[in-house]
Amino acid sequence: MKNSTKLVRLAAVAAASALVLAACGGGDDDKSSSDDKTSAAPAAKGDGTLTVGTLLPSTGDLAFLGPPEFAGVDLAVKDINEAGGVLGKPVAQSKADSGDGTPKIAPGSVDKLLAAKSDVIVGAASSSVSLSVIDKIIGAGVVQFSPANTSTAFDEYDDKGLYFRTAPSDVLQGAVLGNLVLQDGAKNVAILARQEAYGEALAENTKKTIEEQGGKVAETVLYAVDATSYTSEIQKIKDSGADAIIVIAFNETTKIIPGLEQAGIGPKQVPTYFVDGNTADYSKDFPKGTLQGVKATYPGAQLKDDFKARMLEIDPKLTDFTYGPESYDATILSALAAEAAKDDSGKSIASKIVEVSREGEKCTTFKDCVALLKDGQDIDYDGVSGPVDMNDSGSPSKATIGIFEYAADNTFKNTDYITGVVE
């Protein structure tokens, strides 16, 4: 996929002013036919039953994201089937663990999902895990639809028109995070990040925004994803003399924070910032007050109470809802695309996903949207995670980034939402 990401516009949801930033992405406006996601549907080749596979984390460093993501898919399938299913038949499911953070698990899980005749695979959460299996998935003619991939690596990936995501590229989160740090008064920032697709891309885009807005990134330190000690990396951060630290990490945050504290540059000493990969409930991991004042960003619109209640009906044990709405929307969009194409094969679905997400009659539920399709109307599905207007390369062209702050109990609450348009 090739995506020309030229401009990011940011605005606080509650504010009247807007901030316009230049942003980097793919620089190629010339899309080959294999990248065209708005073409006519191919001849019907499906088996008549839409099968949704889930490649989501039950284990691994992102396991905390698994429950809301699985619940989002399950709720979408429930809504679809209660509305009559897809092409007159109930949607089928097949589930597998992506083991995000440990790419060795995902390939075998993909084999299981393909053997179950999945037409769409929702996942993975981790960008690096998705990159490790994308060729296998698209090579089978199956749609890969991630609710949480944010790496800019997908902006230019040759995905044969079969990869989509409901989470925005890190061009947007990097712009929001970089501006947040500067608005808080930092002038000399250090970034500690995972050395893989997600960590490197988000670090690069955050650095770009900071420097374009007049700040300085004193040091960008990357660490191996399988590292067990972070002593040398933390020493580099300390030696930089930074007045703010951005930690782009997964569950290893539970080891990094004590290391920063031991070096005398913990959150109590230096303003610290997290991202979507490590914005989690740490109430059982750290003593009270450890993270108080830490700020964080992650993609996602404000979760409405009624949708939260519906997710809890699916999984009453949910305490975190991150990327649940995006998982729901990925599933609904796939089902609507199958209806629009009148076929459940992966290539047919891929040909209609962009079309059903924008520039038509607005609708917000599968039931209402499919009724419009059956009446011969073009539709514009607005989802629970936001408008989900897809650009021609299969990523949201408009999205929301939430800003959060940690309290003394090491849990986080929202303080603001920033909308962004990638042009």
Side-chain angles (χ1 to χ4, degrees), residues 15-365:
S17 60
L19 179 62
V20 180
L21 301 174
C24 66
D28 190 347
D29 287 324
D30 182 20
K31 297 180 176 63
S32 67
S33 60
S34 66
D35 294 324
D36 184 5
K37 299 189 176 183
T38 57
S39 59
K45 294 182 180 179
D47 61 8
T49 297
L50 175 62
T51 300
V52 177
T54 45
L55 183 69
L56 297 169
S58 299
T59 62
D61 291 336
L62 290 182
F64 72 95
L65 292 179
E69 290 174 335
F70 278 112
V73 175
D74 290 348
L75 179 58
V77 170
K78 177 177 180 288
D79 287 349
I80 293 165
N81 287 342
E82 286 181 351
V86 172
L87 303 173
K89 292 184 179 181
V91 173
Q93 283 186 272
S94 180
K95 299 182 180 182
D97 178 20
S98 61
D100 287 23
T102 51
K104 295 178 182 178
I105 294 176
S109 293
V110 169
D111 289 339
K112 172 188 172 182
L113 296 174
L114 293 178
K117 299 183 179 180
S118 297
D119 302 298
V120 176
I121 292 178
V122 178
S126 162
S127 293
S128 60
V129 173
S130 283
L131 286 167
S132 74
V133 295
I134 186 172
D135 289 338
K136 178 178 286 193
I137 294 172
I138 66 176
V142 172
V143 169
Q144 181 175 6
F145 207 147
S146 175
N149 288 169
T150 59
S151 173
T152 54
F154 298 101
D155 289 342
E156 296 182 339
Y157 200 90
D158 183 13
D159 60 20
K160 313 303 180 188
L162 290 166
Y163 174 87
F164 300 83
R165 54 180 167 183
T166 41
S169 165
D170 277 325
V171 169
L172 183 56
Q173 185 175 189
V176 172
L177 178 58
N179 276 280
L180 174 65
V181 174
L182 294 178
Q183 289 167 3
D184 286 346
K187 293 181 172 56
N188 189 42
V189 184
I191 301 173
L192 180 63
R194 292 170 61 90
Q195 191 170 24
E196 39 89 85
Y198 164 74
E200 293 179 49
L202 184 48
E204 178 184 348
N205 281 283
T206 304
K207 177 181 178 181
K208 184 176 187 297
T209 295
I210 290 172
E211 292 180 342
E212 285 181 344
Q213 299 302 307
K216 178 183 177 182
V217 175
E219 191 78 64
T220 298
V221 181
L222 302 177
Y223 61 87
V225 296
D226 58 354
T228 57
S229 173
Y230 308 91
T231 303
S232 61
E233 291 86 353
I234 288 172
Q235 186 61 48
K236 290 180 182 178
I237 297 293
K238 182 176 182 178
D239 292 344
S240 73
D243 57 9
I245 299 171
I246 297 171
V247 180
I248 301 174
F250 288 172
N251 192 54
E252 63 269 16
T253 300
T254 57
K255 297 178 181 179
I256 290 173
I257 292 299
L260 292 173
E261 289 182 314
Q262 188 173 0
I265 53 173
K268 293 180 181 178
Q269 289 79 38
V270 182
T272 303
Y273 297 81
F274 289 172
V275 292
D276 55 311
N278 57 346
T279 302
D281 181 343
Y282 295 102
S283 58
K284 296 181 181 179
D285 298 294
F286 299 128
K288 287 187 176 181
T290 299
L291 299 181
Q292 187 168 10
V294 169
K295 292 185 179 180
T297 60
Y298 71 67
Q302 185 172 7
L303 185 64
K304 295 181 179 179
D305 289 341
D306 60 342
F307 186 75
K308 180 177 179 179
R310 296 184 67 219
M311 286 188 67
L312 285 169
E313 290 177 3
I314 297 294
D315 184 355
K317 296 181 180 179
L318 286 178
T319 57
D320 191 336
F321 300 87
T322 306
Y323 292 123
E326 286 80 3
S327 300
Y328 180 92
D329 287 340
T331 308
I332 295 292
L333 281 169
S334 299
L336 291 171
E339 283 280 357
K342 296 181 173 58
D343 181 48
D344 61 278
S345 70
K347 290 183 179 180
S348 293
I349 291 168
S351 71
K352 295 295 183 179
I353 287 177
V354 172
E355 182 179 309
V356 299
S357 77
R358 69 184 195 191
E359 298 175 357
E361 184 73 20
K362 286 192 179 296
C363 51
T364 58
T365 68

